[in-house]
């Protein structure tokens, strides 16, 4: 409700925010909020999704090769970047969009829980160097989209330090856990990153869209993207033009995304967000415990989920009590799409499914709405069972 009120006010004001003079209060709110987010990440001094991940790659590339801004990719060696096979597709997309090439985004193996394997990262860094490429960027994921896995950030940071690479943390989905004293240890090491993506529009429940890129080195994003258009960014204004933050970004017209988040934070406080996050994680633990024990359910990976993602197969009566053969898995692969289609037809509830790696189609339940309750979870499971009685 508060976020919605914020969204309404923002749309009513309908202002841009490329310079301080045009939206002074919003610019200050953005500056304060990003400073606060940086503090939570663990960086001492202040400056501040898919688009955020692209900004991170741009800032890193500019840090190593500032000439890219004027002379383009032709002036650079072949750049190579790394991310895990379980990372979000936006990393590969950024490589494609920025002229690095999607083939130069090298995927690092993940373990059975979806966490990046640091030893494989090291092998692939060395291999890229031997092939004459220039490895410059690693994106570790804090909260992968499907499994909700947290990459081992300290181990990745050690390798980045050793080989001189930029470390980015994609915390689009998992960044919210930083607000919780109980769960923030899962992002231990994030303070060693050079940049962090954190989307308040995901786990924190801020209305779309609100995605932050935090860059440790102050001023880098500005020099990377600055074009100093004379009609906006005159240097002889009467105020401190460091508040003209619009030149940091690649957009010109930009919606004010910060106000609703600022307002929610003021209203709930960090403790409010913390309670919200803890509640979602408790609820997913509730679901996990049922799925682990109840007949007809099978977990995709062993062990308690670290985020709210609970990934499971539902095994309908006709497929129970058989040893899983190739053919059995093929049949199971058709179950989740069938149940989901029936859910849509009866209009009661929905849950996403997908295959991943060698795992055939499974359900992925994620909880980010703190208004969800145990009875919602019970209802979801009873619908799965009801709609698959004849399967
Ligand atoms: C959702 C997600 C993104 C993309 O975020 P947008 O909502 O497109 O800004 C990036 N990385 C991860 C891990 C995600 O889960």
């Amino acid at each position: 409700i508060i976020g919605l009120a914020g969204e309404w006010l923002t749309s009513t004001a309908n202002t841009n925010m490329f310079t301080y003079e045009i939206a002074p209060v919003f610019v200050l709110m953005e500056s304060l909020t990003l400073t606060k987010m940086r503090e939570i990440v663990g960086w001492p001094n202040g400056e501040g999704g898919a688009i955020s991940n692209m900004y991170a790659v741009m800032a890193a590339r500019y840090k190593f090769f500032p000439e890219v801004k004027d002379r383009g990719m032709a002036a650079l060696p072949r750049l190579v970047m790394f991310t895990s096979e379980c990372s979000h597709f936006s990393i590969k997309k950024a490589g494609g969009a920025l002229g690095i090439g999607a083939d130069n985004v090298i995927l690092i193996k993940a373990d059975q829980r979806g966490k990046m394997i640091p030893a494989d990262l090291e092998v692939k860094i060395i291999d890229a160097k031997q092939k004459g490429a220039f490895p410059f960027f690693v994106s570790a994921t804090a909260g992968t989209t499907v499994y909700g896995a947290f990459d081992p950030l300290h181990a990745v940071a050690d390798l980045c330090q050793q080989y001189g690479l930029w470390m980015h943390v994609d915390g689009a989905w998992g960044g919210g856990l930083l607000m919780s004293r109980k769960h923030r240890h899962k992002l231990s090491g994030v303070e060693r990153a050079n940049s962090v993506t954190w989307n308040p529009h995901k786990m924190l429940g801020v209305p779309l869209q609100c995605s932050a890129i935090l860059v440790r080195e102050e001023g880098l994003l500005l020099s990377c993207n600055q074009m100093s258009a004379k009609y906006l960014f005159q240097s002889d204004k009467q105020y401190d033009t460091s508040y003209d933050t619009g030149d940091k970004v690649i957009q010109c017209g930009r919606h004010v995304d910060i106000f609703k988040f600022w307002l929610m934070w003021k209203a709930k406080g960090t403790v409010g967000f913390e309670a919200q996050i803890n509640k979602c994680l408790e609820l997913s633990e509730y679901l996990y415990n049922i799925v682990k024990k109840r007949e007809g359910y099978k977990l995709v990976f062993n062990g308690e989920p670290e985020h709210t993602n609970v990934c499971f197969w539902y095994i309908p009566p006709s497929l129970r009590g058989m040893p899983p053969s190739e053919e059995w898995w093929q049949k199971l692969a058709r179950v989740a799409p069938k149940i989901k289609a029936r859910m849509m037809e009866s209009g009661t509830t929905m849950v996403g499914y997908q295959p991943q790696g060698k795992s055939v189609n499974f359900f992925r339940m994620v909880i980010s709405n703190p208004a969800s309750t145990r009875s919602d979870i019970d209802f979801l499971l009873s619908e799965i069972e009801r709609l698959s009685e004849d399967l």
Side-chain angles (χ1 to χ4, degrees), residues 49-51 53 88 90 141 143-145 170 172-173 199 201-202 211:
I51 191 72
N53 286 337
H88 192 260
S90 55
T141 311
T144 59
T145 313
D170 179 2
W173 173 226
N199 283 1
H201 72 221
K202 287 206 169 160
S211 167

